[in-house]
Amino acid sequence: MIAQLLLSLRFVCRGGEARVAWRAANAARWSSIRAILAVVICCAFTGSVSAQQDSDVSPLAARLDGLAEGLMAREQVPGAIAAVVSGDQVIVRGYGVAGSGGQTAVGPDTFRFEIGSITKLFTWVAVMMLVEDGRLDLRADVSNYLPGFDIPGGEPLTLAHLMSHRGGFEESYAIFDQDIAALPRAEALAVAAPDQVFPRGEITSYSNWGAALAGLVVEEVSGQPWEAFVQARILDPLRMGDTTLAERLRQSDQPPLAQSYAVRGGIAHPAFRIDIGAFGPAGATASTASDMAWFLRFLMGDGALEGARLLEPGTMAQMRTRLFDERPQAADMAHGFQSRPRFGTMVYGHGGGLNEFISNLVFIPEIGAGVFISQNGGAGASLPLFAPDLILAELAADAGLAAPEAPPVPEAATRAAEAAGRYVTNRRTFSGPGQALAALSPINVVAFSDGALLIPTGTLPMPSRFDPIAPDLWQDAMGHRVTVIRDAQGRVTRLADGTGAQTHERVRGLADPVWLTVGFALALLLATTSIIGLIWRHGLRGGSRVGTLAAAVQVTGAIAVWALAVAGVAMALAASRLGSQFLFDQPQPTFELFLGIAAAVAVLAAVLALSLPLVWRAPGWSLWRRTHQTAFTLALIGLAGLMLKWGLAFGGPI
């Protein structure tokens, strides 16, 4: 139950007979897709009344307009910008509204939208520029470039690790702390430094802190602030004059930042906003549709655009290769790009999300096709996450690209059965109450007898069916692929998802967060029966002073468990109302209350354990009452242990 009560804390986005589960999921999935397409088709034929656009009415432009209008209406998206490039055709669009009062129409150049982690692509391009200059080596220890800076962990860390998100770091929520973000970059990175929890180069685990560290490397080696280097070497040559790298650097002639919104209960509320400041190289950029069209064209080219050469052709081609390539048929990272096999080729790109803005940039260089979409809030994210795939799929088909038909996979059913189980993301903290966030969304993988898997993806409301296309490799109807990673003994230990930026750890036994829910449910049940017993007996009635004391401790523990439940409900309601603000605007009173009561429950569990000898020696107690109090004590000890493990008791700040 604790996991369900904490569900609203999620910052980013899941039994029965497998066949029945798949049929239900598949029906809901295609029902959702049909609903989307129905609205899209309707809007495509009735016109794009709120789109701010030029006179371009090509089939590709009409397709973009129809998708945008349909998905925005379906998911209550206030405003969006989009850029589509296909060969020489460049389409830029603005849809809906932004502005402080939500009344100003969005155009391709009228507002800047925060693009979040797409910012990292500017950082990686900057790194490759310094590699070309002979001032950086991707395989060298970055401590060579950062004298005096203490790199977390005991192994050498390289830019190759950082670009591939294989630095081995745990998640660091400290980068969203406004006081830390306001510090100078080196100091902020030192304060927010995460622990190394995985061997370098072994496990893909997305790290904002690692990308910000790469920005510090750019600063130290170039002798310029990261913002100044990127402005002079990337933005200015690409004529991206409306793009800002930090809100404090915005010039008076640049478009204002669009207002973003959190949609709750069908109503759009102005979003709580944070400034990540010193961690800007990981996600502080804001841009327009027109500027992002320029950036798309550069990324798909040979390192030059409109006479301005930023990188040599060989370097640009190198950026599309992987620094670690043990799963070439599945998604992974390529010099900072998400690299995903789709449509018989490789699709590159990156997503981003910050302050309710959700953005996505994807492209296929070999056919010169790319899509960028950003929205400023909404009840869903299908527009940036789903629409680019639909557009690229059609452009790839028009260009004659298609994935070959998969041959039969030997031992498919056996491999699927071995992959089935529960997984938690490797992008998590390993200490403090932030650990509990990993317990909120474990991935439940279900195997079918024909070798297919049922896996939640986060893109669609229901899990998707993934069919086997090679040993330990599965693909869904949209072309997304997942694979499993085995240890030296051949046991499945991790799942690599279709983003290329995440892996998920297989959990077994007490490491499975489901036990947190089971433990709380059992403790709550026995706490309830303890209170019922108190009422039935018309008081404590311990039979002696010692027995009465033991009974009082039991009732106190029962009340504490119920107080924990009430605090959990209050916390969940606050999180639902505040959205991401609940996580970033710490401390939150309801969260602090929950953690305080959790610590009290842990203490009471110890006290109850110490009182058990008194229970069994107290006169006048029935065997049933002694057994019940013993069971309640053991349940409370179990719950306390689980809360200690997940950082909910005595775990410190988030």
Side-chain angles (χ1 to χ4, degrees), residues 42-130:
C42 177
C43 290
F45 279 97
T46 58
S48 177
V49 295
S50 63
Q52 298 296 305
Q53 58 194 55
D54 54 32
S55 59
D56 188 350
V57 290
S58 68
L60 180 57
R63 195 173 307 131
L64 171 64
D65 293 339
L67 281 168
E69 293 294 330
L71 294 173
M72 289 176 70
R74 182 176 182 269
E75 297 184 345
Q76 299 175 283
V77 176
I81 56 174
V84 176
V85 177
S86 178
D88 294 330
Q89 185 179 13
V90 178
I91 301 164
V92 291
R93 289 288 192 267
Y95 304 98
V97 295
S100 58
Q103 300 300 318
T104 307
V106 176
D109 307 293
T110 57
F111 287 99
R112 289 172 300 116
F113 279 51
E114 293 190 79
I115 63 173
S117 288
I118 297 175
T119 299
K120 293 177 176 67
L121 298 183
F122 294 100
T123 299
W124 305 134
V125 170
V127 165
M128 296 307 292
M129 287 177 163
L130 292 171

Side-chain angles (χ1 to χ4, degrees), residues 155-166:
E155 301 175 78
L157 175 69
T158 69
L159 284 163
H161 293 139
L162 296 179
M163 298 179 92
S164 304
H165 293 285
R166 296 195 185 206

Side-chain angles (χ1 to χ4, degrees), residues 84-315:
V84 176
V85 177
S86 178
D88 294 330
Q89 185 179 13
V90 178
I91 301 164
V92 291
R93 289 288 192 267
Y95 304 98
V97 295
S100 58
Q103 300 300 318
T104 307
V106 176
D109 307 293
T110 57
F111 287 99
R112 289 172 300 116
F113 279 51
E114 293 190 79
I115 63 173
S117 288
I118 297 175
T119 299
K120 293 177 176 67
L121 298 183
F122 294 100
T123 299
W124 305 134
V125 170
V127 165
M128 296 307 292
M129 287 177 163
L130 292 171
V131 170
E132 275 195 349
D133 293 345
R135 303 167 73 181
L136 284 180
D137 182 343
L138 297 183
R139 300 290 184 179
D141 190 341
V142 297
S143 62
N144 297 333
Y145 306 117
L146 300 173
F149 189 89
D150 188 15
I151 303 292
E155 301 175 78
L157 175 69
T158 69
L159 284 163
H161 293 139
L162 296 179
M163 298 179 92
S164 304
H165 293 285
R166 296 195 185 206
F169 299 121
E170 66 174 339
E171 178 67 290
S172 174
Y173 292 113
I175 71 170
F176 302 112
D177 185 307
Q178 297 297 271
D179 293 333
I180 297 176
L183 298 171
R185 184 158 288 133
E187 187 177 347
L189 282 162
V191 172
D195 289 336
Q196 180 189 349
V197 293
F198 303 119
R200 305 274 198 230
E202 184 174 314
I203 294 175
T204 304
S205 180
Y206 193 83
S207 176
N208 284 308
W209 187 90
L213 182 68
L216 180 63
V217 171
V218 170
E219 285 191 344
E220 292 295 324
V221 171
S222 70
Q224 296 178 273
W226 171 83
E227 293 85 354
F229 184 93
V230 173
Q231 184 71 47
R233 296 283 299 268
I234 302 175
L235 299 185
D236 289 347
L238 292 180
R239 308 178 193 176
M240 297 176 67
D242 289 335
T243 299
T244 57
L245 300 167
E247 200 56 28
R248 70 181 187 279
L249 300 178
R250 181 209 168 202
Q251 303 298 308
S252 59
D253 60 344
Q254 291 178 309
L257 183 67
Q259 174 68 57
S260 58
Y261 300 90
V263 176
R264 296 189 294 271
I267 300 173
H269 304 269
F272 174 77
R273 185 178 184 276
I274 61 170
D275 186 340
I276 62 173
F279 305 101
T285 301
S287 191
T288 63
S290 296
D291 274 11
M292 291 305 292
W294 282 95
F295 192 50
L296 256 179
R297 292 173 63 200
F298 163 71
L299 293 176
M300 291 190 293
D302 67 352
L305 183 65
E306 300 289 336
R309 178 159 293 283
L310 279 67
L311 291 171
E312 293 299 318
T315 303

Side-chain angles (χ1 to χ4, degrees), residues 309-381:
R309 178 159 293 283
L310 279 67
L311 291 171
E312 293 299 318
T315 303
M316 206 67 195
Q318 180 186 355
M319 286 195 73
R320 297 171 192 143
T321 63
R322 300 181 180 184
L323 291 154
F324 299 89
D325 201 17
E326 72 272 17
R327 46 181 189 268
Q329 292 182 292
D332 209 333
M333 301 301 297
H335 284 74
F337 291 114
Q338 290 173 268
S339 168
R340 300 175 297 152
R342 303 279 306 275
F343 320 125
T345 184
M346 195 68 71
V347 176
Y348 301 92
H350 211 289
L354 184 66
N355 296 327
E356 302 297 335
F357 289 95
I358 302 177
S359 308
N360 195 17
L361 179 151
V362 293
F363 63 95
I364 303 175
E366 68 185 90
I367 63 172
V371 184
F372 163 79
I373 297 178
S374 180
Q375 67 180 44
N376 63 344

Side-chain angles (χ1 to χ4, degrees), residues 465-527:
R465 176 187 168 97
F466 285 76
D467 289 298
I469 59 171
D472 289 345
L473 184 68
W474 293 264
Q475 180 173 288
D476 71 2
M478 296 295 295
H480 303 109
R481 293 182 178 182
V482 299
T483 188
V484 293
I485 300 162
R486 298 176 182 266
D487 61 16
Q489 288 72 45
R491 295 172 301 189
V492 172
T493 57
R494 293 189 299 280
L495 173 80
D497 66 24
T499 68
Q502 298 286 350
T503 57
H504 308 263
E505 202 76 15
R506 180 78 170 269
V507 289
R508 295 180 173 89
L510 291 178
D512 192 327
V514 71
W515 289 109
L516 189 60
T517 302
V518 172
F520 183 79
L522 182 59
L524 189 63
L525 172 64
L526 292 172

